[in-house]
């Protein structure tokens, strides 16, 4: 049954997706036209022009036209239809798709993540679905190989980042080539119009497009699907018209693959280079997988197979039929093939469809950059949620204006869709090749299929994509160098940021302080406890971070209640609110030192939530109530080594909230004056089950009894100190490479990483911490 989730504002498909009502599937399929297929649908505007823009020329024979059309037909059939619709869409991560979804699947099924902040309790998340198939022997060997060798895991991360960088490059080229191709149609109606006017109009449209990103598209989003559907209808009707009028019989010969061989035999190297234009017919295909989370597999498959795929084929076959009789019109084949009475309506729809396709790619770029930030692969940027109703409607100011400047530079610098297409094709195929490589690993390691199936998938689709990449590489001097430069710059930024963050976390982990050591420092220095609650932010999920010892050594005073707050991201797309918080106690009760781990998925949005402080303290109060009545899990060895309470462990907040008779009981104690706490009791009459060798407790709520006075006293103290004030304590770190480091490492850490940390958003901005209540501690990390 389909139900709308208020938190995410997106359609959640509860239970078995096969039981989704047909009406809901059709509605999702209709909405997917405006979000998923805008870029792919507008490709007929520039494919033939880009293909025949080089030294390739049309001769009296139709073999060149039929050969190119045959390549287009089989490329559309093999890549979007067979590869994505029938195979790749089945590799979703809890309904989410894209490069990071595949990487997330691999990280959950094996220890492939480079950041070691994952906990066993993460596996109990409802979205942490790991269905472990029966692994083949070769599959186990490959998995062990990745787990034992960090260099292989780094290589895998670089492949993922490369695909991500090419997606960002798509966000630069798609608006430029789509809008410029649509506006170029003006010159068909007004041949004497200067080229500069077309460029100026295109730049004006692009400027308006990027300026409007700040306001979001929620008010006009309902128009996206009708515009794309109208465009598909237009190219279908025009395609049928051209086939009937110009070449009703001969054009269908292109269905035979023999014409691809004839084309390459006749044209030779020039024909091979022209394939870099053919690849543009599948631009936007990756969006089917990347935007899977907004819809579902069935709806995207229905939309593509019943509408997009047939419309594109009719459009391409129609243009080829027109060119078979009008060979000199190849530079503007689409607009010149339009019947004169409907030229301006089709031109208007084409321009609107190009804008819709560009908007979808820009939004996808924002989304993937946000995922990179969540997985510590991109500097911190400000993410603004532009809609309370529609999930995924986010705006990142820094990325928006970087995309605009790059897009404007490409439009003004090239002024020609052919040169832009030379660069665009390389970016498109690189993303698809990365998806193919990751998908082969998913088939082997996640699905547990034979290595021959994985290799067959990799060789079959990879060879086709490498063929197109080789053709696109030949166009590097004619503009193909641009995506390489853009991707290389972003790849360096992302990898160095991930490397520096990992080294910083490793330093914290290796130098964490034992609790008894911290207390000994306090006794030696005459440490005192001051009123209030201190929320200390740390990336560590176990142990006491060294910065806290640094603070305590120089300022031997701690708040009466000190909570170590860790914001971490789990390799799942979303985490439900009721499972977001983990709360535990460190050391003895009289220390009043706690740990709270707040978990997010890589697609969760950090909203500006003024209630975060109240919610965190509410969960802390629920933990105090339930702690004595819960059979505690055994804490990790790291916690025991630090002298922490051995039976404290971590409790899922969902269990704690339900452990209290009424959740409002805890809320009221921190939002109102003193009130009696409701009676509650937790019993464990049922046998304790074991999961992964660890005990898990089943809770019941039988007759109530008076809570322990010590619990009431601690809750009362918590309320009083909350009223005294809550202080946020953050580490302001400076990371430097050690003197023994190599020159390359010193440059990466001391120059690039330091520069990125200076220009990126501070943690207080990302975490929405009030400036008046925050304290920053400066410390130098030598890694």
């Amino acid at each position: 049954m389909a139900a709308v989730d208020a938190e995410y504002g997106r359609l959640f498909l509860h239970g078995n997706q096969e039981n989704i009502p047909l009406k809901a599937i059709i509605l999702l399929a209709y909405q997917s036209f405006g979000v998923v297929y805008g870029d792919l649908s507008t490709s007929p505007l520039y494919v033939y022009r880009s293909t025949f823009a080089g030294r390739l020329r049309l001769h009296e024979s139709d073999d060149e036209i039929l050969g190119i059309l045959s390549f287009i037909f089989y490329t559309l059939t093999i890549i979007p239809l067979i590869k994505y619709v029938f195979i790749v869409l089945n590799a979703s991560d809890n309904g989410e798709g894209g490069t990071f979804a595949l990487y997330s699947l691999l990280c959950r099924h094996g220890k492939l993540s480079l950041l070691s902040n994952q906990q066993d309790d993460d596996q109990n998340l409802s979205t942490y679905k790991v269905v472990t198939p029966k692994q083949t022997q070769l599959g186990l060997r490959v998995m062990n190989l990745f787990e034992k060798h960090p260099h292989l895991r780094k290589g895998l991360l670089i492949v993922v980042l490369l695909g991500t960088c090419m997606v960002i490059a798509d966000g630069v080229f798609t608006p430029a080539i789509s809008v410029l191709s649509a506006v170029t149609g003006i010159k068909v109606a007004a041949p004497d119009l200067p080229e500069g006017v077309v460029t100026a109009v295109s730049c004006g449209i692009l400027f308006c497009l990027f300026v409007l990103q700040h306001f979001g598209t929620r008010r006009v989003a309902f128009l996206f699907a009708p515009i794309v559907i109208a465009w598909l209808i237009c190219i279908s009707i025009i395609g049928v018209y051209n086939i009937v009028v110009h070449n009703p019989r001969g054009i269908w010969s292109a269905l035979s693959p023999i014409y691809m061989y004839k084309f390459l035999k006749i044209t030779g190297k020039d024909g091979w280079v022209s394939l870099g234009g053919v690849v543009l017919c599948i631009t936007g295909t990756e969006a089917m997988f990347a935007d899977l989370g907004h819809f579902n597999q069935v709806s995207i498959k229905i939309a593509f197979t019943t509408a997009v795929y047939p419309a594109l084929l009719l459009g391409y076959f129609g243009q080829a039929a027109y060119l078979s009789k009008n060979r000199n019109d190849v530079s503007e084949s689409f607009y010149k093939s339009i019947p004169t009475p409907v030229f301006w309506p089709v031109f208007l729809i084409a321009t609107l469809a190009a804008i819709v396709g560009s908007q979808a790619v820009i939004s996808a770029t924002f989304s993937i950059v946000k995922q990179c930030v969540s997985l510590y692969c991109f500097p911190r940027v400000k993410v603004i949620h532009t809609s309370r109703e529609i999930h995924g409607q986010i705006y990142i100011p820094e990325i928006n204006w970087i995309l605009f400047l790059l897009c404007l530079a490409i439009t003004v610098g090239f002024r020609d869709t052919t040169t832009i297409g030379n660069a665009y094709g390389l970016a498109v195929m690189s993303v698809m090749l990365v998806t193919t490589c990751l998908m082969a690993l998913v088939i082997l390691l996640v699905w547990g299929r034979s290595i021959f199936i994985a290799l067959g998938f990799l060789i079959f689709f990879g060879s086709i994509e490498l063929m197109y990449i080789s053709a696109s590489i030949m166009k590097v001097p004619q503009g193909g160098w641009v995506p390489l430069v853009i991707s290389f710059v972003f790849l360096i930024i992302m990898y160095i940021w991930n490397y520096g963050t990992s080294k910083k976390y490793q330093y914290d982990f290796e130098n964490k302080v034992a609790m008894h050591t911290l207390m000994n420092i306090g006794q030696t220095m005459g440490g005192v406890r001051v009123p209030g609650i201190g929320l200390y932010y740390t990336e560590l999920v176990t142990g006491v971070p060294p910065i806290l010892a640094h603070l305590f050594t120089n300022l031997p005073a701690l708040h009466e209640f000190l909570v170590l707050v860790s914001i971490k991201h789990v390799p799942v797309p979303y985490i439900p609110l009721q499972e977001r918080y983990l709360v535990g106690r460190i050391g003895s009760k009289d220390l009043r030192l706690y740990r709270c781990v707040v978990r997010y998925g890589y697609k969760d949005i950090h909203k500006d939530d003024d209630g975060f402080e109240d919610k965190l303290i509410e969960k802390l109060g629920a933990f105090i109530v339930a702690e004595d009545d819960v059979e505690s899990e055994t804490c990790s060895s790291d916690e025991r080594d630090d002298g922490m309470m051995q039976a404290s462990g971590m409790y899922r907040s969902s269990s704690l909230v339900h452990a209290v008779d009424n959740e409002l009981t805890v809320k009221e104690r921190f939002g109102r004056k003193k009130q009696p706490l409701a009676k509650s009791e937790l019993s464990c009459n049922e046998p304790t089950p074991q999961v992964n060798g660890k005990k898990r407790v089943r809770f019941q709520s039988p007759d109530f009894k008076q809570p322990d006075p010590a619990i009431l006293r601690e809750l009362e103290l918590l309320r009083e100190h909350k009223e005294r004030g809550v202080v946020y304590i953050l580490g302001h770190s400076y990371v430097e490479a050690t003197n023994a480091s190599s020159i390359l490492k010193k440059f990466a850490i001391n120059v690039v990483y330091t520069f990125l940390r200076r220009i990126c958003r501070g943690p207080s901005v990302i975490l929405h911490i009030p400036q008046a209540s925050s304290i920053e501690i400066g410390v130098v990390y030598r890694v």
Side-chain angles (χ1 to χ4, degrees):
M1 178 178 180
V4 176
D5 186 277
E7 160 67 9
Y8 301 121
R10 71 188 186 107
L11 193 66
F12 271 85
L13 304 172
H14 299 288
N16 192 342
Q17 294 197 5
E18 296 179 356
N19 298 325
I20 303 172
L22 180 62
K23 182 179 179 181
I25 293 177
I26 294 175
L27 177 61
L28 288 171
Y30 166 77
Q31 293 173 342
S32 70
F33 285 105
V35 177
V36 177
Y37 297 111
D39 185 18
L40 180 61
S41 299
T42 55
S43 57
L45 287 171
Y46 45 79
V47 168
Y48 282 109
R49 180 179 183 177
S50 299
T51 302
F52 291 100
R55 291 187 293 179
L56 185 67
R57 293 292 181 267
L58 292 176
H59 300 90
E60 293 298 325
S61 172
D62 288 341
D63 287 343
E64 293 95 339
I65 296 175
L66 294 176
I68 289 295
L69 181 58
S70 185
F71 268 108
I72 291 174
F73 170 74
Y74 283 103
T75 301
L76 276 171
T77 302
I78 293 173
I79 302 297
L81 185 62
I82 298 178
K83 175 186 170 182
Y84 279 88
V85 171
F86 292 126
I87 302 176
V88 175
L89 287 180
N90 297 315
S92 65
D93 179 17
N94 289 284
E96 294 295 330
T99 305
F100 274 108
L102 296 178
Y103 183 63
S104 172
L105 279 175
L106 293 171
C107 286
R108 289 212 306 275
H109 284 76
K111 298 177 181 179
L112 304 184
S113 177
L114 293 177
L115 202 63
S116 56
N117 65 343
Q118 304 305 315
Q119 300 167 275
D120 291 338
D121 202 89
D122 295 339
Q123 300 177 15
N124 298 321
L125 291 166
S126 59
T127 53
Y128 201 103
K129 298 176 181 177
V130 178
V131 180
T132 305
K134 185 178 180 180
Q135 291 280 5
T136 62
Q137 289 296 327
L138 286 175
L140 290 174
R141 290 179 182 177
V142 172
M143 181 68 76
N144 292 333
L145 199 63
F146 273 98
E147 292 179 353
K148 290 180 179 179
H149 298 281
H151 295 295
L152 290 178
R153 299 201 299 272
K154 290 180 182 179
L156 179 63
L157 178 63
I158 290 175
V159 170
V160 173
L161 295 183
L162 177 62
T164 303
C165 294
M166 287 297 181
V167 172
I168 296 175
D170 283 351
V172 175
F173 291 107
T174 298
I177 194 171
S178 298
V179 173
L180 190 58
S181 298
V183 177
T184 303
I186 298 178
K187 295 195 68 176
V188 175
D192 298 331
L193 194 68
E195 189 73 29
V197 175
V198 175
T199 304
V201 172
S202 301
C203 291
I205 294 175
L206 291 172
F207 176 76
C208 295
L209 178 64
F210 282 97
V211 167
L212 291 176
Q213 298 302 315
H214 175 72
F215 303 99
T217 58
R218 60 190 182 279
R219 296 181 180 177
V220 295
F222 69 95
L223 295 174
F224 290 173
I227 288 173
V228 175
I229 291 174
W231 167 250
L232 291 173
I233 293 173
C234 285
I235 63 175
S236 300
I237 295 175
I238 294 171
V240 172
Y241 169 81
N242 286 317
I243 292 172
V244 172
V245 172
H246 299 290
N247 197 345
R249 294 184 179 179
I251 201 64
W252 302 109
S253 301
L255 295 176
S256 172
I258 193 66
Y259 280 94
M260 293 190 289
Y261 170 75
K262 287 184 177 181
F263 170 78
L264 293 176
K265 183 178 180 180
I266 294 172
T267 59
K269 180 181 177 181
D270 293 338
W272 185 270
V273 174
S274 69
L275 296 181
V278 173
V279 74
L280 298 180
C281 72
I282 54 176
T283 58
T285 299
E286 188 71 21
M288 286 196 293
F289 186 45
D291 293 327
L292 183 61
H294 298 285
F295 307 97
N296 75 329
Q297 297 178 23
V298 178
S299 61
I300 289 180
K301 291 178 179 179
I302 288 176
F304 182 79
T305 55
T306 61
V308 178
Y309 179 69
L312 288 175
L313 290 183
L314 289 174
Y316 285 118
F317 272 78
Q319 282 191 61
Y322 175 83
L323 287 174
S324 67
K325 305 300 180 183
N326 303 273
R327 301 177 188 278
N328 295 328
D329 293 341
V330 66
S331 61
E332 296 294 345
S333 60
F334 175 77
Y335 281 111
K336 289 188 176 181
S337 68
I338 301 174
T340 304
V342 296
F343 177 83
W344 288 111
V346 173
F347 170 78
L348 178 61
I349 294 174
T351 304
L352 294 175
I355 294 173
V356 170
S358 302
Q359 169 61 47
V361 173
I362 294 170
S363 298
T365 304
F366 291 158
S367 177
I368 201 165
V369 168
K370 190 267 168 192
Q371 294 175 34
C372 292
V373 173
S374 300
L375 295 176
Y376 311 102
C377 294
F378 200 86
R380 295 183 296 267
V381 291
K382 186 175 183 179
V383 179
I384 300 173
H385 200 255
T386 59
S387 175
R388 295 181 180 273
E389 293 80 22
I390 305 175
H391 174 74
Q393 291 283 336
I394 61 175
Y395 169 69
I396 303 177
E398 298 92 333
I399 300 301
N400 183 67
W401 295 114
I402 289 175
L403 290 179
F404 170 69
L405 292 176
L406 291 174
C407 190
L408 197 65
I410 288 172
T411 304
V412 175
F414 290 153
R415 298 189 179 189
D416 179 33
T417 57
T418 301
T419 310
I420 299 175
N422 294 339
Y424 193 21
L426 185 58
V428 169
M429 290 315 303
S430 299
V431 176
M432 293 185 180
L433 183 60
V434 168
T435 300
T436 299
C437 295
L438 294 177
M439 190 64 205
L441 287 176
V442 169
I443 292 173
L444 179 64
L445 304 180
V446 179
W447 292 354
R449 301 297 176 86
S450 168
I451 193 168
F452 297 106
I453 297 177
L455 285 177
F457 177 89
L458 179 63
I459 293 172
F460 178 73
F461 293 106
S463 60
I464 296 174
E465 290 156 359
L466 284 174
M467 176 188 71
Y468 282 122
I469 288 177
S470 67
S472 299
I473 288 177
M474 293 183 181
K475 296 186 176 183
V476 167
Q478 291 81 37
W481 57 271
V482 179
L484 296 178
V485 172
I486 294 175
S487 301
F488 179 75
V489 171
F490 275 99
L491 179 63
I492 292 297
I493 291 173
M494 295 166 74
Y495 183 77
I496 290 181
W497 183 265
N498 179 269
Y499 177 76
T501 303
S502 300
K503 286 295 182 181
K504 180 175 174 293
Y505 181 87
Q506 183 180 353
Y507 179 91
D508 274 339
F509 186 80
E510 292 176 352
N511 295 275
K512 59 185 178 181
V513 181
M515 193 62 216
H516 63 81
T517 303
L518 189 67
M519 292 298 102
N520 291 337
I521 294 174
Q523 293 174 2
T524 305
M525 304 291 294
V528 296
R529 304 299 287 264
V530 296
I533 299 176
L535 302 181
Y536 177 78
Y537 283 82
T538 174
E539 295 178 358
L540 285 180
V541 294
T542 59
V544 179
I547 294 184
L548 186 58
H550 173 74
L551 170 66
F552 199 43
T553 302
N554 293 275
L555 183 64
L558 295 176
H559 290 85
E560 284 289 348
F561 283 83
L562 186 64
V563 185
L564 303 182
V565 182
S566 299
I567 307 292
K568 61 174 283 189
H569 290 84
V570 182
V572 296
Y574 302 99
I575 294 180
L577 277 176
Q578 66 271 19
E579 300 180 15
R580 180 155 293 167
Y581 295 83
L582 288 174
V583 182
R585 186 189 296 274
I586 300 177
S588 58
K589 290 186 177 182
D590 59 327
L591 293 177
R592 289 188 286 278
L593 180 60
Y594 307 89
R595 183 186 306 281
C596 180
V597 180
V598 187
R599 302 176 292 182
Y600 289 91
Y602 57 82
K603 298 201 75 172
D604 277 325
I605 303 295
H606 291 240
K607 297 181 180 178
D608 189 356
D609 187 6
D610 295 331
F612 174 78
E613 174 186 307
D614 293 333
K615 184 172 288 291
L616 188 147
I617 296 177
E618 171 199 328
K619 299 299 183 184
L620 183 59
F623 167 79
I624 293 171
V625 171
E627 182 183 18
D628 285 348
D629 296 325
V630 175
E631 181 183 347
S632 304
E633 300 175 13
T634 304
C635 69
S636 67
S637 59
D638 291 328
E639 301 245 7
R640 286 198 302 270
D641 292 341
D642 288 345
M644 299 177 186
M645 186 176 178
Q646 294 190 15
S648 61
M650 290 287 183
Y651 303 92
R652 280 180 293 179
S653 61
S654 56
S655 301
L656 297 178
V657 171
H658 292 299
V660 186
D661 179 45
N662 187 349
E663 185 178 353
L664 290 177
T665 303
V666 180
K667 293 182 180 179
E668 290 171 354
R669 293 198 63 80
F670 305 112
R672 304 178 186 175
K673 296 296 182 181
K674 299 179 182 179
Q675 296 181 9
L677 188 68
K679 300 176 182 179
S680 66
E681 179 187 46
L682 295 174
S683 67
C684 302
N685 296 329
E686 298 184 21
T688 302
Q690 292 193 2
V691 180
N692 295 330
K694 294 186 177 182
K695 293 184 178 180
R696 294 291 185 267
V697 181
R698 295 178 179 175
F699 302 110
Q700 292 181 343
S701 297
D703 299 333
F704 301 115
K705 67 178 182 180
Q706 184 66 29
D708 191 330
I711 296 176
L712 295 177
R713 175 57 182 164
E714 190 169 5
L715 286 173
E716 190 62 32
L717 285 173
L718 183 61
R719 184 189 66 81
E720 291 177 0
H721 287 287
K722 180 181 181 299
E723 293 176 354
R724 296 281 188 93
V726 178
V727 177
Y728 298 83
I729 308 170
L730 300 93
H732 189 86
S733 55
Y734 300 88
V735 183
E736 296 179 355
T738 59
N739 295 330
S741 301
S742 64
I743 296 177
L744 184 61
K745 181 178 178 181
K746 288 181 180 179
F747 177 78
I749 296 296
N750 298 347
V751 179
V752 181
Y753 185 71
T754 301
F755 174 74
L756 293 175
R757 285 184 63 86
R758 286 177 179 174
I759 65 173
C760 74
R761 300 276 182 170
S764 59
V765 177
I766 302 301
L767 301 172
H768 308 293
I769 294 173
Q771 190 68 28
S773 303
S774 63
I775 298 176
E776 292 192 1
I777 310 167
V779 66
V780 178
Y781 286 78
R782 289 183 172 84
V783 298

